[in-house]
Amino acid sequence: MKKSFKYIIIALGMAMGLPACEVERLPETSISDQTFWRSEGDLKAAANYLYTFLPGWSTDDVWSDDAIGLASNSISDGSRLAPATDGNYNNNYNLIRAANNIVEKAPRASGNASQTVIDRYSAEARFFRAWGYFALVQRYGEVPLILKTLDESSAELTAPASPREAIFDQIYQDLDFAAQKLPTHTTLGTADFGRISNTTALAFKARVALFEGTRAKFHAYGDPTKHLKAAADAAKAVIDSKQHNLYTGQYFDLFQMPGEGRQNPENILVKQFGVSLTERVITHSYYRGSLENGNMNPTKSLADSYLMKDGLPITKSPLYKAPVASVDVFRDRDTRMSDTFMKRGDPMMTTKPIFDIAPLVFNKTGFMFRKTANIDDWNTQASTIDRPIIRYAEVLVTYAESLFELNGTISDADLDLTVNRLRQRGGVAKLTNAFVTANDLTMRDEIRRERRVELAQEGFRYWDLIRWKTAEVELPKPVLGNFFFKTEFGTVAAVRLTADNYILVQDASFRKFDAKKDYLWPLPINEIALNPSLKQNPGW
């Protein structure tokens, strides 16, 4: 897959559907739309462009209660206004246009490529079209549903937004087609690792359907049962395929080079960067540029969500003791906490090889994220660690949540199939119905907790709060950090503490969420000006 990216530049214009120049006068190095779409190589090259839209590592978790940056952001403090333009809107429509172009023009290769080949790359394009539409409807709600390439005179340019349900129906159609026509993960093998497989389409369908099913349920609209059943069925199909499994190494290594590639069965979809500085597609500086310098710091809220090893939260477990030193925070806890948070003794960076305590001038919560931390990457600022976008672990927690929300219950057998496999990885006692009853817990909260800790730092938390309709409760709370260990943090100017000695990073008065408008994002003003049929979302 990495080698095939050399064709991206050639394919870019073809995939975007740009008009061709005078064909007979093109230089030998140019390709026109009329002479493209002739072979399997052309289709693959065009499809390669779609992969450039896959998201890299980000700091989106600062929108949620899991993390905060060096400064407030307009989403969590409630200060944002409807923007003139928004890359989240335009970039996704660029992806959709490129995908539509491939779906329309792939059949031109029928003289030199089999129907199986044409279907395969059409299926990749339909997967990415579904990806683009989900990203749009997740943010903005109803948007125009465009399933063909347009020109300047197309009536669709001034079409109103399509109903939300119609958009999801189209997403499901595209993903079902992809699941039927794409190769299995095993068939792709090492040579084509990174391309979309049939289980990628199913796993993404499970994500999409869980989002809409729970959102419809808790926001009281539509048909939650339809979507929750689709989520459960798609997740179970991935499980039953036997194409994937959990990584058998350390959880921390999932986000390092040992967790990369075909040999890790947990990888369903990744954003590929490369395998070394000399063999790379692109690079990133996520560790040094976002984590170590404080642009995304974990909160006490996230830290507190990690269970003690007896399976109980810190508020109920007899194992929990108030910390005296910073390492005490991790004692007898889910080991995924130690793999996600920096602790004393962990490798850190070139100028400070061993971590002791987070510098509050950067890591304002007194915590620092550890996933992707790598000294060599800190030094070069050119990491090639891939970003896992869909992991098998997500499929497992999706199946558990969709079953529970669909039926109001979940069996111990299904807990063993899903949540308890992840708890075992963290060294945490099993979750059972009897355990929940005996300890006055709620099954919904424990399933949600498992999702939160397993997928921490991976960009899910904000959208989970949105779909559960709990953002209005969780986001306006004050942001707290670590216990203030004076002998370790030292004398720090202007540090604020709560009465029980936790770092107070941001008062509740600076955290706002308006339930009347903030569950949808504002449409860009320029798009409404270009298309008067579009209506701004309520409250914006």
Side-chain angles (χ1 to χ4, degrees):
M1 172 95 182
K2 297 180 197 277
K3 291 182 180 178
S4 67
F5 272 85
K6 66 185 179 181
Y7 299 110
I8 289 175
I9 301 303
I10 296 175
L12 192 153
M14 304 299 103
M16 287 294 289
L18 298 178
C21 300
E22 300 169 81
V23 176
E24 69 278 8
R25 300 183 61 185
L26 286 171
E28 293 180 2
T29 55
S30 297
I31 302 174
S32 74
D33 196 54
Q34 287 85 349
T35 59
F36 200 68
W37 314 106
R38 298 289 180 85
S39 66
E40 178 176 358
D42 290 349
L43 299 184
K44 186 174 184 178
N48 283 348
Y49 172 61
L50 304 177
Y51 288 84
T52 66
F53 286 85
L54 288 175
W57 293 98
S58 75
T59 59
D60 292 356
D61 278 311
V62 300
W63 304 338
S64 75
D65 56 347
D66 272 5
I68 190 170
L70 288 166
S72 181
N73 67 83
S74 62
I75 292 178
S76 60
D77 70 13
S79 66
R80 64 177 165 165
L81 302 172
T85 60
D86 185 348
N88 292 297
Y89 191 91
N90 298 110
N91 289 342
N92 281 300
Y93 271 114
N94 286 340
L95 170 60
I96 289 163
R97 177 179 173 82
N100 284 341
N101 200 47
I102 294 173
V103 171
E104 286 181 6
K105 294 175 180 174
R108 293 185 188 178
S110 59
N112 300 302
S114 68
Q115 189 61 45
T116 299
V117 167
I118 292 170
D119 285 345
R120 174 181 176 178
Y121 293 107
S122 296
E124 286 194 9
R126 291 182 69 163
F127 172 90
F128 280 102
R129 182 165 69 183
W131 183 279
Y133 271 116
F134 178 59
L136 286 167
V137 75
Q138 187 179 42
R139 287 171 171 80
Y140 309 104
E142 296 182 349
V143 294
L145 181 62
I146 299 169
L147 303 177
K148 65 178 185 179
T149 55
L150 307 180
D151 58 34
E152 293 179 356
S153 62
S154 296
E156 290 83 357
L157 290 173
T158 55
S162 298
R164 188 181 185 100
E165 197 70 10
I167 298 172
F168 277 96
D169 285 345
Q170 183 60 50
I171 290 172
Y172 294 156
Q173 289 177 32
D174 281 344
L175 294 176
D176 287 344
F177 181 89
Q180 293 167 8
K181 302 298 183 180
L182 288 171
T184 66
H185 196 69
T186 299
T187 301
L188 288 177
T190 301
D192 267 343
F193 173 76
R195 300 201 81 89
I196 306 298
S197 69
N198 68 330
T199 48
T200 312
L202 289 168
F204 184 56
K205 182 180 180 182
R207 176 189 292 184
V208 169
L210 178 68
F211 179 88
E212 188 61 4
T214 50
R215 196 182 192 283
K217 179 175 182 176
F218 296 110
H219 290 254
Y221 67 84
D223 184 358
T225 299
K226 166 187 168 181
H227 299 288
L228 289 170
K229 187 177 186 305
D233 289 347
K236 190 60 161 59
V238 177
I239 294 169
D240 290 344
S241 75
K242 307 297 183 185
Q243 294 289 307
H244 301 279
N245 210 333
L246 294 180
Y247 181 60
T248 57
Q250 187 179 2
Y251 180 79
F252 175 74
D253 284 338
L254 269 169
F255 312 95
Q256 299 290 321
M257 287 299 179
E260 291 201 354
R262 178 70 181 88
Q263 73 278 4
N264 177 4
E266 191 161 339
N267 289 327
I268 297 179
L269 178 64
V270 302
K271 171 79 169 184
Q272 291 187 311
F273 287 88
V275 294
S276 68
L277 291 179
T278 56
E279 188 178 349
R280 64 189 183 183
V281 179
I282 51 175
T283 63
H284 63 86
S285 58
Y286 174 65
Y287 172 47
R288 184 168 178 175
S290 297
L291 306 184
E292 179 267 320
N293 72 359
N295 281 319
M296 189 169 76
N297 310 292
T299 61
K300 181 179 185 292
S301 177
L302 175 59
D304 288 353
S305 67
Y306 287 85
L307 294 167
M308 305 302 290
K309 66 183 182 182
D310 60 5
L312 293 172
I314 61 174
T315 54
K316 291 179 177 287
S317 174
L319 296 176
Y320 180 75
K321 301 291 186 294
V324 176
S326 61
V327 293
D328 295 343
V329 175
F330 304 92
R331 182 170 295 134
D332 293 328
R333 302 289 287 274
D334 184 332
T335 60
R336 288 171 295 179
M337 184 179 186
S338 296
D339 290 331
T340 303
F341 287 60
M342 278 283 187
K343 61 186 180 304
R344 188 194 302 166
D346 286 334
M348 187 181 179
M349 59 190 187
T350 306
T351 56
K352 187 178 182 180
I354 303 299
F355 183 85
D356 49 17
I357 197 74
L360 292 177
V361 66
F362 296 118
N363 307 116
K364 293 186 178 296
T365 63
F367 287 121
M368 178 178 164
F369 276 123
R370 187 177 176 224
K371 279 184 182 178
T372 76
N374 184 289
I375 290 181
D376 291 339
D377 289 350
W378 184 91
N379 189 43
T380 63
Q381 300 186 68
S383 177
T384 57
I385 293 175
D386 293 346
R387 179 188 175 180
I389 295 174
I390 304 177
R391 296 194 281 122
Y392 187 60
E394 181 199 343
V395 173
L396 297 183
V397 291
T398 293
Y399 187 54
E401 185 181 350
S402 58
L403 282 181
F404 180 80
E405 296 299 347
L406 190 61
N407 303 316
T409 61
I410 184 171
S411 69
D412 287 349
D414 282 324
L415 288 172
D416 286 343
L417 180 66
T418 57
V419 169
N420 286 330
R421 296 197 63 198
L422 304 178
R423 286 193 172 207
Q424 182 181 21
R425 174 152 74 181
V428 176
K430 290 174 61 172
L431 179 65
T432 66
N433 283 279
F435 184 84
V436 166
T437 301
N439 292 285
D440 196 26
L441 302 171
T442 65
M443 186 62 75
R444 174 179 286 150
D445 287 345
E446 293 312 301
I447 291 173
R448 288 181 178 183
R449 179 200 305 276
E450 189 58 40
R451 179 180 177 87
R452 185 180 190 180
V453 301
E454 174 64 35
L455 302 176
Q457 199 191 320
E458 297 178 51
F460 289 92
R461 179 65 176 173
Y462 171 81
W463 296 111
D464 287 343
L465 297 177
I466 292 294
R467 65 188 177 91
W468 295 330
K469 205 177 185 298
T470 56
E472 62 203 72
V473 176
E474 301 299 335
L475 295 187
K477 292 179 179 179
V479 177
L480 304 180
N482 203 353
F483 191 85
F484 185 72
F485 305 100
K486 187 173 182 179
T487 57
E488 296 181 65
F489 283 115
T491 302
V492 182
V495 64
R496 295 188 301 158
L497 303 176
T498 63
D500 49 356
N501 208 44
Y502 285 93
I503 298 167
L504 174 60
V505 182
Q506 192 174 54
D507 289 311
S509 60
F510 291 98
R511 306 279 294 180
K512 293 182 173 61
F513 188 91
D514 184 348
K516 295 179 181 179
K517 69 171 186 173
D518 287 335
Y519 281 110
L520 290 175
W521 287 25
L523 290 167
I525 294 172
N526 285 359
E527 298 303 321
I528 296 174
L530 290 169
N531 180 4
S533 296
L534 287 181
K535 304 303 178 186
Q536 184 59 278
N537 281 321
W540 293 103

